[in-house]
Amino acid sequence: MGGMKFEYDESGGKFYYFLLSVYALILIPATYWLWPKAEKRKTVPHPEDTSNFAPCRHKHQLLHANEPNRRRRAIITKIGLILAWIILLVLAYRVSLIEIEHKEYDPFAVLDIDREATIGEIKRAYRDLSKKHHPDRGGDPEKFKEIAKAYKTLTDEEAKENWKKYGNPDGPGVTHFGIALPKWLVDHQNSIFVLLVYAGIFMIVLPVIVCIWWQKSARYSGDQILTDTIQLYWIFLSKTSSIIVKRAIMILSASREFDRNRNPLIIDRLSDNVELPKLFRELPDVQEKTKERPFQLPYCLKARTLLHAHLHRLNTLSDNLENDKGYVVKKSPYLINEMINIEAQLVAMGHAGRLRNAPRLDTIESTMKLSPMITQALWHTKSPLLQLPHITESQLRFFETKKRTIKSVRQFAAMNDEERRSMLRSITDEQYDDIMNVLSIYPHLTMTVSCGVFDDEDEHIITTGAVVTLTIHLHRENMSNVFNKEIGSNTSAAINTLDYEANDEQADDKENRGKTNETSKATSNTSKGQTTSSKTNNNSSNKQLTTTTSNKNQAKGTEKDSSDDDSSKHSDDSPSTLRQRHEPSKDEMNNSENENNDEENPSNTIKKSRKNSDNDEDTFLERFQQQQRKRETLETKAKISHRVFCPFYPEIKQECWWLYVADRKHSSLISAPVYLCTLKDKEEVEIKFSAPKTPGHYVYSVILRSDSYFDVDVMENLAFDVQAAKEMVDNHPQWDFSDEEGAANNKADDEEFATESDSDDE
């Protein structure tokens, strides 16, 4: 009877198969991930890499300081991988030389006779070999057993049949399973050492690794921010509803990432006690004498001092403080984004009535201003023109004269080239080219907003408490493309602004107009429910002079609509229209007949309502699937947009934007800010918020704010009317089932599902 037998590798040949398989499984993916990738060279270099501006050169040297070490590591990695592949080839060659140990049993070879031998020749060979190898005559007993077995196989019919059928004269033998492990590994004498190794790996090493990983991961949130820092933000941001920029800097400097006890990357030096007090004299707003915890702690005071030194663009810091400042500045944008997320959560808690001092809109915007301040090393009160290279505060007096007033980057870009060059005649041509190269990559955005209530029957009517969905289309261009188009078409450059006071006044005027024209509101609700408009970049220091072409076209369209309405009103008074009013058309007659039939047959109305409900469900499902696909594509996009020109920021930074809805009149945030990091060319974003609970006319603002630049923000006012919510209908015809109608429906159902036997019986 056949059985199973496990055989361990005695000679060590099979172990090479196991080793080769495991080694190849590790080496192939390791080569794919570890082989140094060749950097893609851009055809058009970034102005930051080619500029002759001193901070740009310093940043270029800083970014390429580790280039020799990076190349050395790449060469070492390549050599290591090549050696690993050589070892793999050697193993493969060693495996190919392993001989197959399994041999088939051949009785003719044992008796050393030909396969065509007769019985007499077999017996003669057996007698000769048995005399030679018999144990009584000094022969080998094992050899004699093989000779006897071979003789029996060739002379016994049953044994010969088994040999031909199973390859063994004794019948089906034992199934052998080879294990590619050396026998000493499972030997009884070595079992203690093997168990100790297993216990050390699975009971000591793995638990320690998991414990260390858990302790490190539990200290950080999903965005690699310390949980202690998040708790500190919650405490300070919930204390008061209004926070200015300097207070936000103090809260930012108190982050635990800058504390040596929580972050081992921070280095405390004795020289800080000498160098930091010198900086206090040059930085008046550090507030080094504050007694509030934790702002008086040494780590917080040092981080706050370095942030102020960065915003003042001080170049007198020592090398140690420069390195510390670089770490603080690199970490700050991530911490600022976390502060904004916490403020948005606090605002949501305030709307729900769970928090008394919810952050106001100016608090959130003050926090947002920190990001471009740190990226550009510029206070928000300074001129945005200082973001450009080679322009200093002493040169700003040439931008504001009796002939011209240039306060924004867009105004500067809209100037004539000759006039702009004459205004900057104090700089060289190379420096002027640097300015124009940087100006050409500045972002220019256009925003189009449309709103509706997609989950309701009428999408264009906003009721109290309804969920309003804003669909925002963003289009980003380089400023050079925009002004080339405008210059080519001989159009004047539009200078937009984020003048909040002017926008508030416009909002008040619209609201007053809406209150006085209550009679016209009822007819214009559907047209105001969906507002679509577009604006270009806004400037925080200038008033809006002209509007974009899209607004002009929209204004023309509204004028046409109003003229058409007026003409229709006048045409209604003509005799022909009066006759048409009294003489119904054929379609109206048919519709009236259909309505009478529906009144006579209530089941028809029920069927129609069911069809309409099914169609509504299908459209709602399609819209939901489209929103889900948009959300998935937005989440899976790589966070790469456009490189920012920021010579004072120690790393390469990508453009990111905050998009949110706000009520500027009441200084409140309506929707949580959406952080966009994938705006390359065009982007479509959906924002949802709850409509006010009281009916009336409202004006909200949709704001797109940059985290990297000043003077590129976009704001669009959104005016809409909110009506009272409809009451629930209790006695809908769809839910009225009379006894006669129920009996008729049951009879129709019975007739529909009647069988052949039932019809035959009838």
Side-chain angles (χ1 to χ4, degrees):
M1 183 177 178
M4 293 184 296
K5 182 179 179 181
F6 293 94
E7 294 180 352
Y8 290 93
D9 190 12
E10 297 285 351
S11 61
K14 296 177 183 177
F15 181 69
Y16 285 102
Y17 287 99
F18 172 75
L19 183 61
L20 179 64
S21 302
V22 176
Y23 190 73
L25 288 175
I26 297 174
L27 182 60
I28 293 173
T31 304
Y32 177 77
W33 291 109
L34 298 179
W35 189 266
K37 298 335 187 261
E39 295 183 359
K40 296 180 180 179
R41 295 183 178 180
K42 296 182 178 180
T43 56
V44 180
H46 194 267
E48 203 172 70
D49 299 331
T50 59
S51 176
N52 197 28
F53 192 37
C56 291
R57 295 199 307 270
H58 177 71
K59 181 178 179 178
H60 184 76
Q61 295 175 359
L62 184 66
L63 293 176
H64 293 80
N66 293 327
E67 190 67 25
N69 295 331
R70 194 181 300 111
R71 291 178 181 175
R72 192 179 301 111
R73 286 195 299 268
I75 294 173
I76 294 173
T77 303
K78 290 181 179 179
I79 293 174
L81 291 174
I82 292 172
L83 292 177
W85 277 96
I86 293 174
I87 295 173
L88 179 67
L89 296 177
V90 172
L91 285 175
Y93 178 73
R94 178 69 178 84
V95 169
S96 65
L97 296 178
I98 296 176
E99 297 181 357
I100 300 175
E101 297 177 357
H102 176 69
K103 295 181 180 180
E104 294 183 358
Y105 179 70
D106 188 3
F108 292 101
V110 175
L111 296 177
D112 195 14
I113 58 176
D114 190 30
R115 287 184 175 273
E116 302 296 333
T118 61
I119 297 297
E121 293 175 351
I122 293 172
K123 291 181 179 180
R124 190 182 305 113
Y126 171 68
R127 283 195 301 267
D128 294 340
L129 291 175
S130 62
K131 291 178 183 179
K132 182 179 180 180
H133 295 285
H134 198 279
D136 295 341
R137 296 185 179 184
D140 187 4
E142 298 295 332
K143 183 66 176 177
F144 181 76
K145 289 180 181 179
E146 291 181 2
I147 295 170
K149 184 178 179 180
Y151 175 73
K152 182 181 178 181
T153 302
L154 297 177
T155 55
D156 189 358
E157 293 297 332
E158 183 180 357
K160 190 174 183 180
E161 188 68 23
N162 288 334
W163 171 65
K164 290 181 179 180
K165 188 175 182 180
Y166 302 107
N168 187 13
D170 299 330
V174 179
T175 304
H176 294 270
F177 291 93
I179 300 177
L181 292 176
K183 193 173 182 179
W184 61 265
L185 192 63
V186 292
D187 193 3
H188 180 69
Q189 296 178 355
N190 301 328
S191 60
I192 297 177
F193 300 102
V194 175
L195 288 175
L196 289 176
V197 172
Y198 273 101
I201 293 175
F202 292 102
M203 299 180 65
I204 297 176
V205 176
L206 285 180
V208 169
I209 293 175
V210 172
C211 182
I212 294 174
W213 169 81
W214 175 254
Q215 288 180 352
K216 289 184 177 180
S217 61
R219 295 173 56 216
Y220 294 92
S221 65
D223 296 331
Q224 295 300 313
I225 305 297
L226 287 172
T227 54
D228 295 338
T229 301
I230 296 175
Q231 293 176 1
L232 184 140
Y233 289 165
W234 275 91
I235 293 172
F236 282 99
L237 294 176
S238 60
K239 278 185 177 180
T240 178
S241 60
S242 182
I243 295 177
I244 60 175
V245 174
K246 294 181 180 179
R247 178 70 177 182
I249 294 176
M250 294 185 70
I251 297 174
L252 176 63
S253 64
S255 303
R256 300 300 185 183
E257 278 77 5
F258 307 141
D259 189 359
R260 177 68 178 83
N261 297 326
R262 282 145 172 116
N263 189 357
L265 298 177
I266 300 298
I267 301 175
D268 292 333
R269 306 179 184 85
L270 295 176
S271 59
D272 295 341
N273 299 327
V274 179
E275 295 176 352
L276 290 178
K278 295 180 181 178
L279 294 176
F280 296 158
R281 304 188 192 97
E282 302 180 25
L283 305 171
D285 298 327
V286 176
Q287 300 181 16
E288 70 277 6
K289 296 182 180 180
T290 182
K291 301 297 181 182
E292 186 179 2
R293 290 185 62 88
F295 302 133
Q296 89 285 5
L297 296 179
Y299 86 90
C300 183
L301 183 59
K302 179 180 178 180
R304 188 163 67 250
T305 304
L306 294 177
L307 286 174
H308 280 268
H310 175 70
L311 294 176
H312 284 85
R313 298 184 178 182
L314 293 182
N315 54 5
T316 58
L317 301 180
S318 62
D319 294 337
N320 292 331
L321 289 181
E322 280 289 344
N323 295 331
D324 296 340
K325 186 188 76 172
Y327 180 82
V328 172
V329 171
K330 285 188 292 185
K331 197 69 178 177
S332 294
Y334 305 99
L335 299 172
I336 292 170
N337 191 32
E338 186 65 27
M339 291 175 64
I340 294 171
N341 293 335
I342 293 175
E343 289 172 347
Q345 296 177 27
L346 292 174
V347 170
M349 293 174 61
H351 289 322
R354 297 170 54 191
L355 185 65
R356 180 178 299 177
N357 295 324
R360 293 169 55 85
L361 181 61
D362 54 358
T363 297
I364 299 171
E365 292 182 342
S366 297
T367 309
M368 289 180 178
K369 290 177 184 177
L370 285 181
S371 186
M373 284 170 56
I374 292 175
T375 303
Q376 298 295 335
L378 188 67
W379 285 96
H380 65 289
T381 56
K382 298 290 185 178
S383 173
L385 294 167
L386 296 176
Q387 298 175 112
L388 301 174
H390 306 295
I391 294 181
T392 59
E393 292 188 3
S394 61
Q395 293 175 338
L396 292 178
R397 67 178 185 272
F398 300 112
F399 289 80
E400 296 185 21
T401 61
K402 295 181 180 180
K403 297 182 179 180
R404 56 179 176 266
T405 301
I406 306 298
K407 293 185 177 181
S408 66
V409 176
R410 184 171 175 80
Q411 287 178 317
F412 180 68
M415 293 179 62
N416 188 7
D417 188 66
E418 296 180 357
E419 183 181 0
R420 183 168 51 234
R421 186 66 185 95
S422 63
M423 184 177 64
L424 297 175
R425 56 184 176 274
S426 60
I427 63 176
T428 62
D429 292 338
E430 185 179 3
Q431 293 175 343
Y432 180 76
D433 292 338
D434 289 343
I435 294 174
M436 297 309 298
N437 290 333
V438 173
L439 194 63
S440 64
I441 66 166
Y442 255 65
H444 177 278
L445 278 90
T446 304
M447 180 170 61
T448 304
V449 183
S450 61
C451 72
V453 184
F454 295 144
D455 299 337
D456 204 348
E457 295 178 356
D458 196 342
E459 299 179 357
H460 306 301
I461 297 179
I462 301 176
T463 57
T464 56
V467 178
V468 182
T469 302
L470 294 183
T471 303
I472 304 168
H473 296 271
L474 303 174
H475 184 205
R476 191 237 184 244
E477 293 181 294
N478 287 336
M479 196 168 286
S480 59
N481 298 334
V482 176
F483 282 101
N484 287 336
K485 293 177 184 178
E486 293 182 358
I487 293 172
S489 58
N490 293 326
T491 58
S492 60
I495 303 171
N496 297 319
T497 180
L498 249 173
D499 192 352
Y500 298 145
E501 295 179 358
N503 291 324
D504 291 339
E505 291 176 359
Q506 293 175 3
D508 294 337
D509 294 340
K510 289 182 179 180
E511 188 171 1
N512 294 331
R513 260 187 265 118
K515 290 181 180 179
T516 54
N517 300 330
E518 293 179 354
T519 56
S520 61
K521 257 189 205 177
T523 58
S524 62
N525 280 334
T526 56
S527 62
K528 290 182 180 178
Q530 183 173 1
T531 305
T532 305
S533 59
S534 64
K535 279 191 177 183
T536 54
N537 294 341
N538 297 325
N539 182 7
S540 60
S541 61
N542 296 296
K543 295 185 178 180
Q544 185 173 356
L545 299 180
T546 59
T547 57
T548 56
T549 56
S550 60
N551 288 330
K552 291 180 180 179
N553 294 331
Q554 185 179 1
K556 292 179 180 179
T558 54
E559 290 176 0
K560 290 181 180 179
D561 294 338
S562 61
S563 62
D564 292 340
D565 294 338
D566 295 336
S567 61
S568 63
K569 289 180 182 178
H570 292 293
S571 63
D572 289 342
D573 298 332
S574 61
S576 60
T577 55
L578 291 175
R579 284 196 300 270
Q580 289 177 0
R581 289 179 185 176
H582 295 288
E583 295 177 2
S585 62
K586 294 181 180 180
D587 295 334
E588 293 176 353
M589 294 292 290
N590 294 330
N591 292 332
S592 62
E593 291 178 359
N594 292 331
E595 291 176 359
N596 294 329
N597 294 330
D598 293 339
E599 291 177 358
E600 294 176 358
N601 298 324
S603 60
N604 293 335
T605 58
I606 295 173
K607 291 180 181 179
K608 288 183 179 179
S609 62
R610 288 177 182 174
K611 290 181 180 179
N612 293 332
S613 63
D614 293 339
N615 294 332
D616 293 340
E617 290 178 358
D618 294 339
T619 55
F620 176 76
L621 182 60
E622 291 178 0
R623 189 169 293 158
F624 176 77
Q625 291 175 351
Q626 291 178 359
Q627 293 176 358
Q628 194 70 18
R629 284 194 292 269
K630 290 177 184 178
R631 190 178 295 109
E632 290 176 356
T633 54
L634 188 61
E635 291 176 355
T636 55
K637 279 185 178 180
K639 294 184 178 180
I640 299 175
S641 54
H642 293 271
R643 182 176 170 182
V644 179
F645 179 79
C646 47
F648 296 94
Y649 190 76
E651 281 186 341
I652 294 176
K653 191 179 183 307
Q654 299 292 323
E655 290 180 6
C656 295
W657 307 82
W658 284 294
L659 182 63
Y660 57 98
V661 181
D663 184 1
R664 307 209 64 84
K665 183 178 180 181
H666 299 92
S667 187
S668 63
L669 183 70
I670 303 301
S671 68
V674 179
Y675 196 54
L676 295 176
C677 302
T678 59
L679 182 57
K680 287 186 176 181
D681 184 15
K682 294 181 180 180
E683 194 78 52
E684 180 180 344
V685 185
E686 287 188 355
I687 294 180
K688 295 184 178 181
F689 63 91
S690 298
K693 297 181 180 180
T694 57
H697 183 76
Y698 295 89
V699 179
Y700 286 169
S701 299
V702 183
I703 303 172
L704 181 68
R705 189 177 290 274
S706 174
D707 76 332
S708 306
Y709 293 108
F710 289 108
D711 197 28
V712 294
D713 302 333
V714 181
M715 186 182 77
E716 174 61 33
N717 284 332
L718 178 69
F720 58 94
D721 293 325
V722 178
Q723 298 182 1
K726 297 180 181 179
E727 297 181 357
M728 295 295 295
V729 180
D730 296 334
N731 52 355
H732 195 274
Q734 182 179 354
W735 305 325
D736 292 340
F737 297 98
S738 61
D739 296 337
E740 297 178 356
E741 181 185 350
N745 291 334
N746 292 332
K747 185 177 179 180
D749 294 336
D750 294 339
E751 292 177 355
E752 182 179 358
F753 297 100
T755 60
E756 294 181 358
S757 60
D758 295 337
S759 61
D760 294 338
D761 294 340
E762 292 178 357

